[in-house]
């Protein structure tokens, strides 16, 4: 069974989708979770951190990584086969593109990239067609960085927003393990069916 490291970052409105996604992934991967500082400190109308931790423990027997010191060990000690950032916020993309590793998820990415482990970004932000767009496009053209197909989720009310098609995560992981970017990368979001996640 492949070892999958999942980094949980902001875009809190997408956290309620995690159980549906994780239910599918648990059958094919041994999962380790890494949680960003903001997620650890923030309770929102979409859920509390305590409830998130309870949820994540249903899908792993491994320790949930919450510190920089623990994240750094993913490179030399606890080697993974692939890493998924779910969801991946604009702040995470912007920092990663600039080489800023100041939270557990970003340092885990660095630790895995050093071993040439594929990193899959499942993006979700209101700003990926705004200021953050150039960093996203630059990042997904780097070696060992891949993206789950994405599209505009609400072009009328949020014209700069892009969100990944969560139903494509499994296929994207398979492609990334074979060092390939799944295609097409840009998909019509109006046809997204959450029941197919």
């Amino acid at each position: 069974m492949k070892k999958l490291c999942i980094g949980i970052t902001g875009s809190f409105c997408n956290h309620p989708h995690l159980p549906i996604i994780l239910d599918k992934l648990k059958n094919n991967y041994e999962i380790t979770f890494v949680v960003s500082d903001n997620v650890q400190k923030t309770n929102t109308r979409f859920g509390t951190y305590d409830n998130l931790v309870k949820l994540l423990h249903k899908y792993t027997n491994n320790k949930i990584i919450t510190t920089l010191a623990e994240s750094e060990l993913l490179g030399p000690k606890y080697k993974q086969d692939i890493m998924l950032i779910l969801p991946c916020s604009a702040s995470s993309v912007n920092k990663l593109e600039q080489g800023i590793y100041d939270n557990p998820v970003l340092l885990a990415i660095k630790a895995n990239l050093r071993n040439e482990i594929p990193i899959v970004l499942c993006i979700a932000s209101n700003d990926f067609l705004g200021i953050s767009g150039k960093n996203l496009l630059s990042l997904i053209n780097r070696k060992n960085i891949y993206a789950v197909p994405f599209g505009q989720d609400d072009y009328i009310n949020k014209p700069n927003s892009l969100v990944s098609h969560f139903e494509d995560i499994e296929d994207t992981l398979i492609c990334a393990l074979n060092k390939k970017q799944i295609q097409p990368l840009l998909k019509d979001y109006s046809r997204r069916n959450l029941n197919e996640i």
Side-chain angles (χ1 to χ4, degrees):
M1 186 174 284
K2 295 289 186 182
K3 293 183 178 181
L4 170 64
C5 180
I6 298 181
I8 310 288
T9 74
S11 189
F12 295 94
C13 62
N14 287 291
H15 286 188
H17 300 311
L18 288 173
I20 301 172
I21 299 167
L22 296 174
D23 276 341
K24 291 192 174 183
L25 295 177
K26 71 178 181 181
N27 297 320
N28 297 311
Y29 297 94
E30 177 188 328
I31 300 174
T32 297
F33 292 103
V34 184
V35 184
S36 74
D37 293 331
N38 282 341
V39 171
Q40 294 176 51
K41 297 173 185 176
T42 308
N43 294 324
T44 73
R45 61 192 171 97
F46 301 105
T48 67
Y49 178 60
D50 287 344
N51 285 337
L52 176 64
V53 169
K54 290 176 184 177
L55 171 71
L56 300 184
H57 275 301
K58 293 180 181 179
Y59 298 97
T60 185
N61 293 320
N62 298 327
K63 178 177 176 59
I64 296 173
I65 295 172
T66 58
T67 68
L68 292 173
E70 294 167 334
S71 293
E72 195 275 335
L73 293 175
L74 285 169
K77 191 171 182 180
Y78 305 113
K79 293 188 177 179
Q80 305 293 300
D81 293 301
I82 190 165
M83 184 171 185
L84 169 67
I85 317 305
L86 172 72
C88 184
S89 65
S91 294
S92 299
V93 164
N94 294 337
K95 287 184 175 183
L96 185 59
E97 171 58 20
Q98 299 302 315
I100 299 171
Y101 310 108
D102 63 352
N103 74 50
V105 172
L106 293 171
L107 191 60
I109 294 172
K110 178 186 177 184
N112 282 310
L113 282 175
R114 138 175 108 183
N115 289 335
E116 299 197 344
I117 302 303
I119 307 297
V120 175
L121 309 178
C122 187
I123 66 165
S125 174
N126 293 333
D127 189 48
F128 277 130
L129 287 178
I131 295 172
S132 301
K134 63 180 181 180
N135 289 325
L136 174 63
L137 292 178
S138 176
L139 195 59
I140 62 177
N141 279 285
R142 294 190 177 222
K143 183 180 180 182
N144 292 320
I145 303 285
Y146 304 90
V148 177
F150 50 79
Q152 288 179 274
D153 55 307
D154 186 355
Y155 63 86
I156 294 174
N157 298 307
K158 301 185 295 181
N160 288 339
S161 181
L162 293 178
V163 176
S164 285
H165 289 253
F166 297 144
E167 67 271 20
D168 291 333
I169 289 174
E170 289 182 280
D171 289 340
T172 305
L173 291 173
I174 292 169
C175 286
L177 283 165
N178 289 289
K179 304 295 184 180
K180 295 180 180 178
Q181 171 60 57
I182 193 171
Q183 296 292 343
L185 183 56
L186 302 178
K187 293 179 68 177
D188 183 355
Y189 205 85
S190 66
R191 298 181 182 179
R192 179 174 183 255
N193 184 356
L194 289 176
N195 294 323
E196 295 179 359
I197 292 177

